[in-house]
Amino acid sequence: IPTLRKSSLRGGVLYWDGQFDDSRLAITLARTAVDRGAVVLNYTPVHSLTVSQSRIDGVEFVDSESGQAFRVRARKVINATGIFVDEVRKWSDRSAMPLLAYSQGIHLVLPKRFLTQQTAVIVPKTRDGRVIFVIPWHDRVVIGTTDTPISTPSYEPEPQEQEIDFLLETAADYLQEAPTRKDILGIYVGIRPLVQRKGKSTSTAQLSRDHTIENDLSGLLTITGGKWTTYRKMGEDVIDAAIKTSDIKALPSCTSKLKLFGADASPSKIDSTHDSQGFCPLRYYGTEAKQMEQLLRQYPELAEPIVDSLPYRKIEVLWGLRYEMARTADDILQRRTRCACLDRQGTEKAREKIARWIEEEKQGLLPKN
């Protein structure tokens, strides 16, 4: 790791970890569910629970594009709404005490020169006792994270100035070149749903990242807490709880052997000719990459970049609109690709172009596959 500061360096420990793209995994999980028979809806927010004989028996939701309202009956309703579970619990029981404390974490995206190798860096205890990591990611470098208590959750959390300062100042203690605000290519922010310890007051950094399950008196089943690395265990636990508390038939779990949608692709067989920035986005599409490459050969105009500095292409806009429930420019730029994280200035310039492509798809003008 040649970009580390040499002064005061005494040694280190080498170990291995895993890395993934959270937006692509989220979409892959949704498509895996559909492939297994689930009905997955987008832009259809639930606004209330329905009750019969003091038991929750369904939900009411609205198609936010058409305005049409729907009511769906269910033998069991599971509240898996992340940082918003307490709001849904109040629909069932107005006296419900909050389960969660909220912690905000931000990440800065910097140019590759700050970490030229493929080895990540983690400092387990900085001068103020926190952890900081510097990770190679999508031909960029990610520096994180913070642990800032906040009072209420938000759909669009914003980084706080002191969080940005903390990461830049702390990174400067360990890197030869001190990063500045001018070096920041992107910032992304997340909110952790941390389960509170009843009767105990503690910092968010000390709260458990484990998940918890609650079945209230009206039959609403809530799962909250947890993290990406335990999502299958969370799914198993909440389905087991649903079976125990309703008349759902128990079937053997298949999750230990279940491959995700597109998992049979061999990355070595995927054409990476469009991989101009050090990584190939099409390999994240697994078995569909071959079909996408065929379309690119047939329609070269689909190789047009979404953002000039990044290897994402128009073909991914088409795919997001047709197969991944994308509806808006933000869906494409933030939740199907990582454009907004990797180059925020270039992303803003691309919005008008994306909007035009979306309209072309609605009119049937984009190439057919």
Side-chain angles (χ1 to χ4, degrees), residues 106-109 159 164 184-189 340-342 344:
I106 79 162
H107 304 76
L108 307 181
V109 181
I164 299 173
I184 298 174
L185 300 173
I187 302 176
Y188 61 97
V189 188
C341 292
L342 300 175
R344 55 182 176 175

Side-chain angles (χ1 to χ4, degrees), residues 109-127:
V109 181
L110 305 176
K112 187 177 181 178
R113 72 175 189 274
F114 288 97
L115 195 70
T116 54
Q117 307 298 103
Q118 282 301 302
T119 301
V121 176
I122 181 169
V123 180
K125 191 172 184 180
T126 60
R127 57 187 174 186

Side-chain angles (χ1 to χ4, degrees), residues 125-306:
K125 191 172 184 180
T126 60
R127 57 187 174 186
D128 69 346
R130 287 193 263 188
V131 172
I132 188 173
F133 53 75
V134 186
I135 298 177
W137 188 67
H138 286 331
D139 209 46
R140 301 288 192 270
V141 175
V142 173
I143 295 181
T145 181
T146 56
D147 201 320
T148 307
I150 58 174
S151 57
T152 57
S154 166
Y155 280 104
E156 298 290 345
E158 294 288 338
Q160 299 179 17
E161 292 299 313
Q162 62 267 29
E163 291 182 295
I164 299 173
D165 291 338
F166 164 74
L167 290 180
L168 291 174
E169 292 167 6
T170 306
D173 290 339
Y174 302 98
L175 297 176
Q176 285 186 353
E177 180 185 355
T180 69
R181 286 178 178 255
K182 292 182 180 179
D183 295 310
I184 298 174
L185 300 173
I187 302 176
Y188 61 97
V189 188
I191 298 176
R192 305 176 184 93
L194 303 178
V195 180
Q196 300 186 81
R197 295 172 180 171
K198 293 182 180 179
K200 294 183 179 181
S201 176
T202 187
S203 70
T204 53
Q206 295 174 313
L207 291 180
S208 173
R209 270 57 175 169
D210 293 340
H211 62 277
T212 190
I213 295 174
E214 175 195 79
N215 190 61
D216 72 9
L217 294 177
S218 298
L220 177 67
L221 191 62
T222 294
I223 180 168
T224 191
K227 48 197 172 185
W228 273 114
T229 47
T230 59
Y231 79 86
R232 291 206 189 202
K233 173 63 173 171
M234 294 172 69
E236 280 191 298
D237 287 353
V238 76
I239 293 301
D240 286 347
I243 291 169
K244 291 177 181 177
T245 57
S246 64
D247 61 343
I248 298 173
K249 182 181 178 181
L251 296 172
S253 172
C254 64
T255 192
S256 64
K257 297 181 179 179
L258 178 65
K259 291 185 178 181
L260 299 184
F261 185 87
D264 292 330
S266 172
S268 63
K269 295 181 180 179
I270 295 174
D271 185 357
S272 60
T273 54
H274 305 287
D275 178 14
S276 61
Q277 299 296 317
F279 74 100
C280 177
L282 292 193
R283 70 185 182 90
Y284 289 94
Y285 293 83
T287 53
E288 292 187 302
K290 184 176 181 180
Q291 188 178 357
M292 296 171 78
E293 288 287 358
Q294 289 174 346
L295 266 180
L296 284 169
R297 287 190 286 270
Q298 188 175 358
Y299 304 100
E301 65 270 23
L302 292 178
E304 182 180 346
I306 297 175

